[in-house]
Amino acid sequence: SYPGISTRESLMQLNDLLKIIFFNVIRKLMSFDVKDKRIQKKIDWIASQIRETKFELHRQHKELEDALKEQEKLRKQKGKTKKS
C-alpha cells in the first residue's frame, strides 16, 4: 500500500477502477454485438439477392432452352418444305 493511503482506500480505488474497466468492456461488447448484427443482416440480404437471382437465371435459362428448341423445330420444318 502507498504511504498515507489505507488498505480500505486502496481497495475502494481498485474497486472503482474495476467498475470502470467492466463497464468499458460491456460497452465494447454491446457495440461489437450491434455491429455483428448489422453485418449479419447485410450478409443475409446479399444471400437472399443471390438466391433470387439464381432462381431468375434458372427461369430465364429454361425459357432460352425452350425458345432454342422451338427455333430448331421451326428450322427443321422449313428445311422439309424447301426439299418438297
Side-chain angles (χ1 to χ4, degrees):
S1 132
Y2 295 105
I5 297 178
S6 69
T7 305
R8 188 168 190 272
E9 286 176 311
S10 293
L11 288 174
M12 288 174 63
Q13 287 178 351
L14 182 60
N15 188 37
D16 289 344
L17 186 60
L18 288 173
K19 280 183 190 175
I20 291 167
I21 292 169
F22 174 77
F23 286 118
N24 281 332
V25 167
I26 293 297
R27 195 173 72 235
K28 285 181 181 175
L29 285 173
M30 289 173 67
S31 174
F32 170 82
D33 195 43
V34 167
K35 287 177 186 175
D36 185 61
K37 284 180 182 175
R38 189 173 63 234
I39 293 167
Q40 186 60 50
K41 257 179 128 171
K42 183 178 181 179
I43 290 167
D44 292 345
W45 182 83
I46 292 168
S48 76
Q49 294 299 304
I50 290 169
R51 275 192 301 277
E52 285 178 31
T53 302
K54 181 182 159 190
F55 291 133
E56 180 62 22
L57 286 172
H58 180 74
R59 187 188 62 74
Q60 290 176 350
H61 182 257
K62 176 83 173 93
E63 283 182 27
L64 176 62
E65 283 182 331
D66 291 347
L68 288 169
K69 284 178 187 173
E70 190 177 343
Q71 184 184 53
E72 186 181 348
K73 188 176 171 183
L74 188 65
R75 287 180 177 177
K76 281 182 182 177
Q77 287 176 351
K78 185 179 177 185
K80 284 181 184 176
T81 54
K82 276 188 176 180
K83 289 179 182 175
S84 329

